[in-house]
Amino acid sequence: MVSFYRTVIDIFTFQQGKKMIDQIGDKNKKTTLSSSFRSTLIGIVMIVFVSFLISTYIITEKERRAYVARESESVIKALSNNISSDLKNYMDVSRLVITDRRLVTFLKADISAVDDNMTNDARYGMMDILNAAEGVDSVMAFREDKKMVSTNRISYKYDQDLMNSGEWREAIYSNEGRATVTLNCGGVARRIDDKPLVTIERSINDINSQKRIGIMMMNISSNVFQDMLNKLRYDN
């Protein structure tokens, strides 16, 4: 009988122990699941956070590049408009120069009548007009017989071979009196210090007969355009 009770107690004790073990196992299982969920959640949050940072960087970089592009386009447009406006003004001045009475007299005169006095009168006529124009480095006028007058001759060196050829003249004549823009006198002349020049060229026709009587070149200092660019940089 005693052994029967002992057996019952052992069974009860075993069942209680098994139940406790099962409870501990369930608790550990829940703890493991909870830790796994937290790890998964933290991983998701980290991925979202990194994705947010990357997206923010990409958007910010795109906006920065777009801003730089807009500013660059604005500066280029402003510079282009300023240059176009200034060139138009210089073209208007060049039109006044080629109609100056003293210059026209020099260009139309017979070669035997051309002397230092006539040449100086033509030079002063051009200089009187240029007094109201800033940035003009020089004006050159060439007769059909290649004799020339200039407001600033000593600052230039000339390509005599090109001057004596008809090639550069024909390029100007082909525009039929319209102003054209080139660099450094189209190669005919350049400054001794090699500073670049913007040149406005025109063929000159007699007002009455429309007969061609010469060529004019107005040389504009590159400082004019450099100042424009500097002003735009300062403003922006």
Side-chain angles (χ1 to χ4, degrees):
M1 192 69 177
V2 172
S3 56
F4 172 76
Y5 284 118
R6 215 176 259 175
T7 301
V8 171
I9 290 171
D10 289 341
I11 293 173
F12 178 77
T13 302
F14 173 77
Q15 288 178 342
Q16 287 295 109
K18 184 176 182 301
K19 185 175 180 181
M20 289 177 65
I21 291 171
D22 289 342
Q23 287 177 348
I24 292 171
D26 290 341
K27 186 175 181 180
N28 289 338
K29 187 176 182 180
K30 288 180 180 179
T31 301
T32 302
L33 289 174
S34 178
S35 298
S36 177
F37 176 76
R38 281 199 302 270
S39 299
T40 302
L41 183 60
I42 291 171
I44 292 172
V45 170
M46 290 298 295
I47 292 172
V48 171
F49 180 70
V50 171
S51 299
F52 172 77
L53 289 179
I54 294 174
S55 299
T56 301
Y57 172 77
I58 293 173
I59 293 171
T60 302
E61 185 64 16
K62 284 184 177 180
E63 286 296 321
R64 186 189 68 80
R65 291 182 179 179
Y67 173 78
V68 170
R70 287 194 300 269
E71 286 299 303
S72 299
E73 183 180 2
S74 175
V75 170
I76 291 172
K77 283 184 177 179
L79 183 60
S80 176
N81 291 336
N82 289 344
I83 290 175
S84 296
S85 176
D86 271 30
L87 284 178
K88 182 180 182 303
N89 291 337
Y90 285 120
M91 288 178 184
D92 291 341
V93 173
S94 73
R95 191 179 292 111
L96 294 175
V97 170
I98 64 176
T99 58
D100 178 77
R101 176 185 56 82
R102 288 165 288 184
L103 175 61
V104 171
T105 299
F106 166 80
L107 295 173
K108 292 175 64 176
D110 186 84
I111 184 63
S112 61
V114 177
D115 57 16
D116 289 343
N117 289 333
M118 184 181 289
T119 302
N120 287 330
D121 282 345
R123 180 181 296 109
Y124 295 143
M126 293 189 294
M127 292 176 67
D128 286 345
I129 295 172
L130 296 182
N131 285 335
E134 295 182 359
V136 178
D137 191 74
S138 68
V139 175
M140 304 171 183
F142 300 84
R143 287 166 49 97
E144 287 294 279
D145 59 14
K146 300 182 178 64
K147 189 174 179 61
M148 69 169 292
V149 60
S150 173
T151 60
N152 187 14
R153 182 163 185 160
I154 61 173
S155 298
Y156 288 76
K157 51 188 175 183
Y158 300 86
D159 186 333
Q160 296 295 334
D161 291 337
L162 184 57
M163 286 179 66
N164 292 328
S165 73
E167 181 181 346
W168 69 281
R169 288 175 173 268
E170 290 304 321
I172 299 173
Y173 291 153
S174 65
N175 289 291
E176 300 178 346
R178 293 188 300 271
T180 57
V181 180
T182 186
L183 298 177
N184 299 318
C185 306
V188 172
R190 62 187 306 117
R191 282 189 59 90
I192 293 174
D193 57 13
D194 284 330
K195 287 184 178 179
L197 300 164
V198 176
T199 303
I200 296 176
E201 303 173 331
R202 283 183 184 275
S203 61
I204 307 174
N205 297 331
D206 180 65
I207 295 177
N208 298 318
S209 66
Q210 292 303 305
K211 180 183 177 181
R212 192 170 63 221
I213 57 176
I215 288 174
M216 183 224 65
M217 290 183 172
M218 175 183 286
N219 298 305
I220 306 165
S221 171
S222 60
N223 291 336
V224 172
F225 306 103
Q226 185 62 50
D227 289 344
M228 288 183 193
L229 184 59
N230 290 342
K231 186 175 185 301
L232 286 174
R233 287 174 178 169
Y234 176 79
D235 290 342
N236 290 279

